[in-house]
Amino acid sequence: GTGSAGYYTNATLTSTQYGDALVAAWASGVYHQSLLVDPMSLTGLGVSQTTYNGYPQLAASLMIGEFVNTMSASASPMTFPCQGATGLPYENGGGETPTAPGVTGAFGTPVSIVGNPSDVIRISSGSMIDLANSASVPLQALDSSTDPNHVLPAYVGVVYPTSPLTANTQYSVTISGTVNGTPFSRNFTFTTGSTVG
């Protein structure tokens, strides 16, 4: 599979700034985030620098392949982010293609649920709480059976806030569903940083 992102600017970014922006975009995308945790043994990054409407453009593609079944049944599925993750983008600017259901602009940090390539993940419920003010965050849940864009593979599910989160804030997440018909539940916290994806 592949994932890509492009950045257009009238100022030249350093290689590190471009790289950070690309990873933030992938980490904050409903359909791209799971690429970062796919059960793969090979990963490659391709970069192309051109111009777009007279501005410098950097486009990158993440190439992944060779599925590996390394998760035990008790570990599957895994989540990204996971317990204690920090510095995550608090917002995706809404530039992901295709557009995720329920999103009309910027949205918050998604949570991917990823199993082994032979697994079937179904999401039955998800909740996210902003721990700074005990506020519930409205979420959308998707898996391959509910994805109208038909992008998510059967071994991936995702829950995501339909509006941006707050920077530098801790969130509690609870997700329930099934993996191959067997119930699972995950509960953990993560903290956003000051990055927009």
Side-chain angles (χ1 to χ4, degrees):
T2 64
S4 63
Y7 289 89
Y8 315 98
T9 179
N10 59 6
T12 302
L13 299 178
T14 67
S15 295
T16 299
Q17 289 168 325
Y18 274 127
D20 289 349
L22 288 167
V23 171
W26 286 323
S28 66
V30 170
Y31 291 115
H32 286 82
Q33 184 189 68
S34 67
L35 293 172
L36 299 176
V37 292
D38 263 352
M40 304 287 184
S41 62
L42 296 177
T43 303
L45 180 65
V47 177
S48 170
Q49 190 164 6
T50 60
T51 60
Y52 178 76
N53 289 338
Y55 295 109
Q57 172 194 11
L58 182 76
S61 292
L62 179 67
M63 304 296 292
I64 54 179
E66 285 195 19
F67 282 115
V68 182
N69 289 317
T70 55
M71 265 188 275
S72 70
S74 62
S76 178
M78 299 180 83
T79 66
F80 182 84
C82 59
Q83 172 58 42
T86 61
L88 295 161
Y90 67 92
E91 172 183 324
N92 181 297
E96 185 176 44
T97 302
T99 302
V103 170
T104 57
F107 55 90
T109 306
V111 176
S112 292
I113 302 90
V114 180
N116 288 308
S118 60
D119 290 339
V120 175
I121 302 290
R122 295 291 181 251
I123 306 300
S124 56
S125 66
S127 68
M128 186 178 290
I129 305 294
D130 174 338
L131 293 177
N133 58 25
S134 300
S136 180
V137 176
L139 294 179
Q140 175 85 30
L142 286 182
D143 58 44
S144 64
S145 71
T146 59
D147 179 11
N149 293 313
H150 308 289
V151 174
L152 292 177
Y155 65 92
V156 174
V158 64
V159 297
Y160 55 96
T162 54
S163 298
L165 298 178
T166 304
N168 305 310
T169 301
Q170 187 176 43
Y171 291 87
S172 174
V173 178
T174 301
I175 301 169
S176 297
T178 62
V179 56
N180 303 322
T182 302
F184 76 85
S185 181
R186 299 291 183 267
N187 188 332
F188 58 92
T189 60
F190 72 89
T191 304
T192 57
S194 57
T195 305
V196 173

